[in-house]
Amino acid sequence: MRMEWDWPRRLAGLTARLGLRHGTARTRFTALYVTLFLLSGTVLLAIAAAVASSGSRSSQTAPDGGTGRPATAAQAQGRIDELEHQLAQAHGIQSRQILIGSAIALGVMAVISVGLGWFVAGRVLRPLRVMTAATRRITADSLHERLAIGGPGDEVKDLADTIDDLLGRLEGSFDAQRLFVANASHELRTPLTTMRASLDVALAKPGPVPESTATLAARMRAELDQVDRLLESFLVLARTQHGEFTDGACLALSELALTALTGRAKDIAAKGLTVRENRIDDSAWVWGSQTLLRRMADNVVDNAIAHNDPGGWISVAVRAEGDDAGTVSLVVESSGPVLDQRRVADLAQPFRRLGADRTGTGRGSGLGLSIVAAIAQSHHGTLELRARPDGGLRVTITLPRTDGRATAEATDTETSVAR
C-alpha cells in the first residue's frame, strides 16, 4: 500500500530535477513521457551497439593457419583471411550505419513523442479540467449543482463522487444555518414584543413615575429597538441568501434612490448634511424583489448619513450603461474620515466596522453593507467599495439592466385585461 501511494512523490522529485516544478500537470506528464521514451530508446541503442561490436570482433578473429601446410593450402588460407577481413569491414560499416540511422530515428521519434505525450496527457487530464471548471462555477448560492462525472468507475470518478458528496453536505449545512437564522430571528420577536409591552404597562401605571425609572425605561426601549432592527436585518439577510423572491417587479432605480433620500430628509437636516446635485438617469430599470431592492437603497443612504461628518455632504448618482442587456449602477458618495482601502472591502462582511466612528454600539449593527452585498449578489449584481482620497466612502452597486418601460406596459395591459 505504501508503494502504491509513493508514485506522486517520485514524480514530483523527477520533475523537480528536470526543472519543471512550477509547470502544469500536463507539462510534467509530457516531460515524464518523453524522458521515459528517451531512456528506453537509449538503452536499446546501447544493446544494439554492444551486439554489433561483439559480432565484429568475432568475425575478425582468424583461424590458426598453423605451419608446415602446403603452399596451395597456405594460399587458400590467405584468400580466406582476406575474404573474412572484407566481410568484417562490411559488417562494421553496416553496423555503424544501423546505429546512426537508429540514433536519427530516436531523435525524430523524441520530437514526435513530445506531441504525442502532450496529447495523451491532455486526454488523461481532461476529466480533471472539467471537474475544476465545474467546481469554480459552484458558489454558496449554487451548492445544489453537482459535477456528475460519468464514465468508468476509476479513480477520477471516485474523486468526482467524493466532491459531489462534499457539496451535498455543504448544501445541507448552509440550508440549516440559514433556516436557523431565519427561525431564530422570527421567534425572538415575540419576547421582544412582550418586553416592550411590559415597559409600556409599567410606565402607564397611575401616579408619578420616578425619573430614574423613566430614564431606565427609555434606555431599555432604545436597546430593544436596536435588537429589533438587528433581528430584522437577520431576516432580510437570510431571505436574500435563500434567493426566494415573491414580489418580483420591474423597478426604476432612480425612484428607489430618490425615495430613500426623501424619507431621510430629517436625518440629513439634523446632521447638517448637504445633498449635492444628483445625476439621475430615468432609463435605469432593474428587475427584482421590491422589498429587497428598496432595502438596498435605504441601507446605502443610511450608511452615508450615519458615518458622515457633521456638515458634510452626500452625492447620489444613477446611471444606465449599454442597451437593454447592459447594466445600471447606483453610486453613493459621502464625506467622512479617511479610510484604509485595504480594509474597506471588509465592510461588506457582517459585523465589520472601520475607524473609531464605527465602533460604537449606537452606530448600527454592522449588517447594513453586508445586506447590500447579499441583495446585489442575489440579483446577479456586484458591490464595490472605494475609499475616497479626501475622506469618506464611494459605494457602487451594479445590476443587470432590463427594459423597464416595455415591462411596465405589459404589466398594465395584463392588469386591464384582468379587470
Side-chain angles (χ1 to χ4, degrees):
M1 181 62 70
R2 184 175 182 179
M3 293 298 295
E4 179 182 354
W5 291 102
D6 197 41
W7 68 268
R9 183 179 58 82
R10 296 176 181 271
L11 176 59
L14 177 59
T15 54
R17 289 192 293 271
L18 294 175
L20 298 172
R21 179 183 297 273
H22 302 291
T24 62
R26 190 175 187 179
T27 303
R28 294 196 295 269
F29 274 116
T30 302
L32 178 63
Y33 295 155
V34 174
T35 301
L36 293 177
F37 174 80
L38 289 176
L39 288 177
S40 60
T42 304
V43 171
L44 289 176
L45 280 180
I47 295 174
V51 172
S53 176
S54 62
S56 279
R57 287 196 300 270
S58 61
S59 63
Q60 290 178 359
T61 304
D64 186 9
T67 56
R69 293 184 178 183
T72 55
Q75 293 176 353
Q77 184 63 39
R79 182 60 179 169
I80 292 174
D81 293 341
E82 183 180 356
L83 293 175
E84 289 180 349
H85 180 68
Q86 294 176 356
L87 180 61
Q89 288 181 341
H91 185 270
I93 294 174
Q94 185 179 11
S95 298
R96 285 193 298 272
Q97 290 177 346
I98 292 176
L99 291 177
I100 293 174
S102 299
I104 295 174
L106 179 62
V108 173
M109 289 305 299
V111 176
I112 296 176
S113 67
V114 174
L116 292 177
W118 184 263
F119 174 76
V120 172
R123 296 281 297 187
V124 172
L125 297 174
R126 178 181 297 177
L128 296 180
R129 292 198 301 270
V130 173
M131 293 168 56
T132 302
T135 305
R136 286 175 177 173
R137 290 194 304 268
I138 298 175
T139 62
D141 297 324
S142 59
L143 288 175
H144 61 278
E145 298 183 9
R146 296 293 183 270
L147 301 180
I149 300 296
D154 53 7
E155 290 83 355
V156 175
K157 191 174 187 308
D158 291 341
L159 176 60
D161 293 340
T162 303
I163 295 177
D164 285 341
D165 294 339
L166 175 61
L167 291 175
R169 294 193 296 270
L170 287 176
E171 182 183 11
S173 299
F174 271 73
D175 290 341
Q177 180 185 11
R178 292 166 181 169
L179 184 62
F180 171 77
V181 172
N183 291 338
S185 301
H186 180 74
E187 294 297 330
L188 286 175
R189 282 187 162 187
T190 300
L192 286 178
T193 304
T194 304
M195 294 169 65
R196 189 178 288 107
S198 300
L199 283 177
D200 294 337
V201 171
L203 294 176
K205 289 182 178 180
V209 179
E211 183 179 355
S212 59
T213 302
T215 303
L216 179 60
R219 293 185 60 180
M220 291 184 64
R221 182 181 292 277
E223 293 298 330
L224 288 174
D225 292 340
Q226 175 68 14
V227 175
D228 196 16
R229 287 192 295 269
L230 179 61
L231 293 179
E232 177 65 23
S233 299
F234 277 141
L235 283 173
V236 174
L237 191 59
R239 180 183 176 188
T240 303
Q241 291 175 344
H242 275 294
E244 299 175 355
F245 304 148
T246 58
D247 56 346
C250 188
L251 304 172
L253 195 59
S254 57
E255 294 183 4
L256 297 177
L258 293 177
T259 301
L261 281 175
T262 304
R264 287 150 182 80
K266 293 183 178 180
D267 296 333
I268 294 175
K271 206 164 185 177
L273 302 179
T274 302
V275 180
R276 292 187 174 180
E277 182 180 355
N278 300 320
R279 299 180 298 277
I280 303 298
D281 190 343
D282 294 333
S283 63
W285 289 75
V286 294
W287 176 269
S289 169
Q290 302 181 50
T291 304
L292 295 181
L293 290 177
R294 288 194 180 99
R295 181 63 178 268
M296 177 189 73
D298 292 343
N299 281 12
V300 174
V301 175
D302 285 338
N303 184 80
I305 296 173
H307 303 291
N308 210 323
D309 291 333
W313 55 268
I314 297 176
S315 174
V316 179
V318 177
R319 294 191 294 264
E321 300 177 2
D323 52 9
D324 294 338
T327 59
V328 298
S329 59
L330 170 62
V331 182
V332 178
E333 293 187 73
S334 60
S335 59
V338 178
L339 303 176
D340 185 0
Q341 178 58 41
R342 293 175 298 179
R343 298 181 57 197
V344 161
D346 293 339
L347 294 177
Q349 302 297 325
F351 305 108
R352 296 293 180 90
R353 304 178 181 88
L354 296 180
D357 65 322
R358 292 176 178 264
T359 57
T361 57
R363 305 297 298 275
S365 60
L367 289 173
L369 291 180
S370 63
I371 291 177
V372 173
I375 294 175
Q377 184 178 6
S378 65
H379 288 80
H380 308 288
T382 58
L383 171 66
E384 181 183 5
L385 304 176
R386 301 292 299 178
R388 300 185 69 258
D390 298 333
L393 189 66
R394 175 187 174 94
V395 180
T396 303
I397 302 171
T398 304
L399 298 172
R401 184 182 180 186
T402 187
D403 188 359
R405 292 182 175 84
T407 306
E409 291 175 359
T411 304
D412 294 339
T413 303
E414 292 177 359
T415 305
S416 300
V417 172
R419 290 179 180 176

